[in-house]
Amino acid sequence: MTAAPLRPDGQAFTVASRDELSEELIKSRERVKAHGEVFTPRRMVEQMLDLVCAELETGPGFVDKTFFEPSAGDGNFLIAILRRKLHAIEKRYQPEFWPTESLFALASIYGVELLEDNLIAARAGLLAEFAAFHAAHGVVCSSRTNMYRSAVYLIGANVALGDTLTGLDANGEPIEFSWWHRVLNVPGLVQRDPFTLASLRGAGVGAFDFTVYATYQQCRIDQVHKEVRADD
């Protein structure tokens, strides 16, 4: 029997099961030709995330560690990242902190996807994972709650339709995200700070960002959906 190849951490990769081999990795040959679309198998997603376990689940400040998926597909990486963060929150925080910390976890996850049907699936998958976590613990997370509405808003703001290579959205405008900074010494309070994807690249080479961004008032993380501007 041939030994499985080792990962960088010295652990052996496990062999895929029959069910995993039947997992849909392409939607059509046309999409592969046009967009190079091939999905990453779930097992491989988990193996890759194992390599950053400290940042995701065990290290200091793991809830706020940001992750960016430049080709989000239908959200398999994004959903797996959220799932791991939520499980870690469950282990490390008291239940009364789960609603707030779960929203901050959601706010730390970013993605860009070129194809609209994939974007819809990715956003829906993130929301379903978030809602299922709270439902499993008997916490109401319906469309009538601020927690749910803020989750929808954060997902919409953080997972964008566009082209990572050009930095432009579907309308040809710069892809814009926001940082969601915790306000020191005020639990649950957040400061929204917009930025463009292009500005991250420019910062790496010392370029100035001349974009004029909207400014927002500080608010609770479960109130971000109200989108209160600083000049309101």
Side-chain angles (χ1 to χ4, degrees):
M1 181 175 65
T2 304
L6 295 180
R7 305 184 313 197
D9 61 0
Q11 300 297 313
F13 284 112
T14 51
V15 179
S17 68
R18 184 182 299 273
D19 288 342
E20 290 165 327
L21 289 173
S22 65
E23 183 181 345
E24 182 183 57
L25 301 182
I26 64 172
K27 290 187 176 180
S28 72
R29 292 182 179 180
E30 290 73 19
R31 288 169 70 112
V32 174
K33 290 180 180 179
H35 307 292
E37 180 188 65
V38 178
F39 296 103
T40 307
R42 285 188 294 271
R43 180 180 289 272
M44 188 175 294
V45 169
E46 297 299 336
Q47 289 173 338
M48 293 173 71
L49 294 182
D50 284 344
L51 302 179
V52 291
C53 179
E55 288 79 2
L56 263 178
E57 303 167 73
T58 60
F62 73 91
V63 174
D64 300 318
K65 291 292 178 67
T66 56
F67 289 83
F68 173 64
E69 171 55 85
S71 183
D74 58 3
N76 54 355
F77 270 102
L78 302 181
I79 295 165
I81 289 168
L82 178 62
R83 183 181 303 121
R84 287 184 176 225
K85 285 200 174 199
L86 293 177
H87 287 170
I89 288 169
E90 183 180 10
K91 292 179 180 178
R92 291 171 168 264
Y93 287 86
Q94 294 298 315
E96 60 264 30
F97 296 108
W98 293 352
T100 295
E101 294 305 315
S102 64
L103 284 171
F104 274 111
L106 199 55
S108 73
I109 300 170
Y110 298 83
V112 174
E113 172 51 34
L114 184 64
L115 302 178
E116 187 172 10
D117 61 334
N118 284 342
L119 177 82
I120 292 170
R123 287 177 171 177
L126 281 168
L127 183 60
E129 189 70 33
F130 181 87
F133 170 78
H134 290 290
H137 296 94
V139 177
V140 177
C141 186
S142 70
S143 59
R144 295 183 178 182
T145 65
N146 284 326
M147 180 169 64
Y148 182 95
R149 292 171 181 172
S150 288
V152 171
Y153 187 83
L154 288 168
I155 292 168
N158 281 17
V159 185
L161 183 66
D163 187 338
T164 299
L165 294 178
T166 64
L168 302 178
D169 65 18
N171 298 316
E173 298 294 329
I175 295 171
E176 185 172 308
F177 293 118
S178 289
W179 300 117
W180 308 93
H181 300 296
R182 293 180 191 257
V183 177
L184 291 177
N185 302 318
V186 188
L189 208 64
V190 66
Q191 176 66 63
R192 181 179 184 178
D193 184 14
F195 67 95
T196 62
L197 181 59
S199 71
L200 293 182
R201 294 169 174 163
V205 295
F208 290 101
D209 181 12
F210 295 102
T211 307
V212 178
Y213 298 105
T215 55
Y216 297 88
Q217 294 183 20
Q218 295 177 356
C219 68
R220 286 188 52 81
I221 188 72
D222 63 357
Q223 300 290 318
V224 293
H225 61 285
K226 296 181 179 179
E227 203 174 13
V228 180
R229 302 292 181 96
D231 54 359
D232 287 350

